[in-house]
């Protein structure tokens, strides 16, 4: 039985945004830092999705997020 969650790029981006908002990761950390917060059995799916979207694990999280809107200045 395969119970792995399907991670598309938008889900990965949202997960990264939430982790940044909670202060668990920083924008300047490599994308690989997200692996601490994604179950090991699902990480391979995340890696494949990142690769399909031309991201490397050493790229910064901010590269993954792209443009961000700010509520406050």
């Amino acid at each position: 039985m395969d119970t792995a969650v399907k991670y598309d790029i938008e889900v990965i981006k949202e997960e990264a945004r939430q982790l940044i908002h909670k202060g668990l990761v920083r924008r300047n950390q490599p994308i690989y830092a997200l692996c601490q917060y994604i179950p090991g059995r699902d990480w391979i799916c995340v890696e494949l999705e990142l690769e399909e979207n031309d991201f490397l694990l050493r790229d910064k999280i901010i590269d993954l997020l792209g443009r961000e809107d700010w509520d406050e200045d």
Side-chain angles (χ1 to χ4, degrees):
M1 173 160 56
D2 183 21
T3 58
V5 175
K6 170 65 175 133
Y7 283 91
D8 71 13
I9 196 67
E10 293 305 317
V11 170
I12 297 168
K13 289 178 180 182
E14 184 57 33
E15 184 72 21
R17 282 185 194 97
Q18 289 179 13
L19 291 169
I20 288 169
H21 181 73
K22 292 177 183 177
L24 298 172
V25 295
R26 295 181 313 276
R27 290 172 177 81
N28 65 341
Q29 286 183 275
I31 293 172
Y32 184 76
L34 300 176
C35 77
Q36 299 174 58
Y37 304 97
I38 296 175
R41 68 181 179 278
D42 296 338
W43 183 248
I44 189 68
C45 298
V46 171
E47 283 188 73
L48 291 172
E49 185 68 18
L50 290 168
E51 184 178 309
E52 287 176 11
N53 287 278
D54 298 321
F55 290 103
L56 301 172
L57 295 179
R58 68 176 179 252
D59 291 343
K60 303 294 183 198
I61 293 174
I62 192 69
D63 296 334
L64 176 65
L65 298 179
R67 181 177 171 266
E68 292 184 86
D69 294 324
W70 294 82
D71 293 336
E72 299 176 11
D73 191 19

